[in-house]
Amino acid sequence: MLPLPVLEKVQKELLCYPGEKCSVLEMSHRAPAFMEIISKAEADLRTLLAVPDSYAVLFLQGGASMQFSMIPMNLMPRGGTAAYADTGVFAKKAAEEASRWGDAVIVASSADKSYSYIPSITQQSIPKDAAYLHICGNNTIFGTQFNTLPAVDLPLVVDLSSSLMGQLYNVEDCGLIYAGTQKNMGIAGLTIVIIRRDLLKELPEEIPSMLNYKLLAEHGSMYNTPPCFSIYLSGLVFEYTLAQGGVAEMERRNKEKAALLYDVLDASKFYTHKVRAQDRSIMNVTFFLPDEAFTAAFLKGAQQKGLSGLKGHRDAGGIRASLYNAMTYKGVSALADYMKAFETENR
Ligand code: PMP
């Protein structure tokens, strides 16, 4: 979901951008108006996430999935070593892509229990020559999250695709953070990378320019035409989020929304929630009904009540409620009521 005021502003400005004679969709990325859009977006993002000057902010394309490849190519030598925590589908994909470039060592995994918990990661388990430790901060599909980031003495690389701007993180705990903007920060087409400047290094000739963080940073994310409309839209979301009280307020709201559903699950003898209590995600709440027939009936009834997008990911099954920033308390409350009513009718 996107905040309604953001969509309304897009609609209002779409045909003619204020002060210009064209739409933002038609503007050159070098036009002064667009330069202002991108620099304001970056400034607002830095304010929202308290990004210090010692970190570069990059606006890239290729989705979070492209970062699975860019990270190893930029942060470790060819054939080098990096540590990965295997906590779900995306964490595993990140490791698989890295292993095309070097040795992606799995130092912790929760695959043994269907990714229902966050495994502990110790410094001892990390190879001494590892260039970085990669984790997925919030596991979108399984509904688990790192409630504290591992304290390790090598750069921590964190995929925050489904939780950045939905909850507070300390950027300085990380060497690199990345996230696609389509969950809490805008629409598809833009991926944000926040990287500590000392990790921006000269790369071997064979690395394509478009995959080179240092080069992209030197060109202010304008080495080629950036995803202008996605940047414009994220800029509006940043502005709106700031006006709403920033990330601390988003986190407060998201915790409140998540508690509505976890309270129903904790009180239920009908639904199963598999995630270990201390690892529950506040962005994605996953649960199961007794069987497939119940699941289908639950989804059908939900749809009739205007509650959509609840089918669990194909790799996890069951139900998943995503509580991204723009999802309202009222909307989640309607789901909680429906869950209780469905249980009473079917138990
Ligand atoms: N990482 C996480 C945690 C995700 O949730 C997703 C997508 N849902 C991805 C990576 C992949 O993102 P993209 O589709 O932008 O490549």
Side-chain angles (χ1 to χ4, degrees), residues 304-322:
Q304 282 160 359
K305 290 198 170 322
L307 301 164
S308 58
L310 289 166
K311 195 171 187 323
H313 188 278
R314 61 188 179 280
D315 288 320
I319 305 291
R320 173 177 55 169
S322 290

Side-chain angles (χ1 to χ4, degrees), residues 143 257-267 273 275 280-286:
K257 290 184 285 180
L260 280 175
L261 301 187
Y262 287 127
D263 285 351
V264 175
L265 294 174
D266 287 340
H273 176 62
V275 172
R280 288 172 168 182
S281 166
I282 61 164
M283 306 303 326
N284 311 97
V285 178
T286 53

Side-chain angles (χ1 to χ4, degrees), residues 296-308 310 335 338 342:
F298 179 91
L299 287 169
K300 193 165 169 226
Q303 195 71 39
Q304 282 160 359
K305 290 198 170 322
L307 301 164
S308 58
L310 289 166
L335 173 60
Y338 171 64
F342 191 89

Side-chain angles (χ1 to χ4, degrees), residues 85-155:
D86 169 30
T87 56
V89 170
F90 295 110
K92 194 157 173 240
K93 277 191 177 160
E96 281 164 4
E97 289 300 324
S99 63
R100 297 175 192 273
W101 186 253
D103 195 7
V105 180
I106 304 292
V107 295
S109 173
S110 51
D112 60 334
K113 288 190 181 146
S114 313
Y115 296 122
S116 59
Y117 70 104
I118 295 292
S120 70
I121 302 169
T122 58
Q123 184 70 44
Q124 293 86 312
S125 62
I126 299 173
K128 294 226 169 357
D129 58 344
Y132 58 86
L133 166 66
H134 178 283
I135 63 166
C136 181
N138 181 71
N139 296 283
T140 325
I141 294 177
F142 298 95
T144 59
Q145 71 173 40
F146 278 84
N147 275 307
T148 43
L149 298 180
V152 286
D153 67 2
L154 74 172

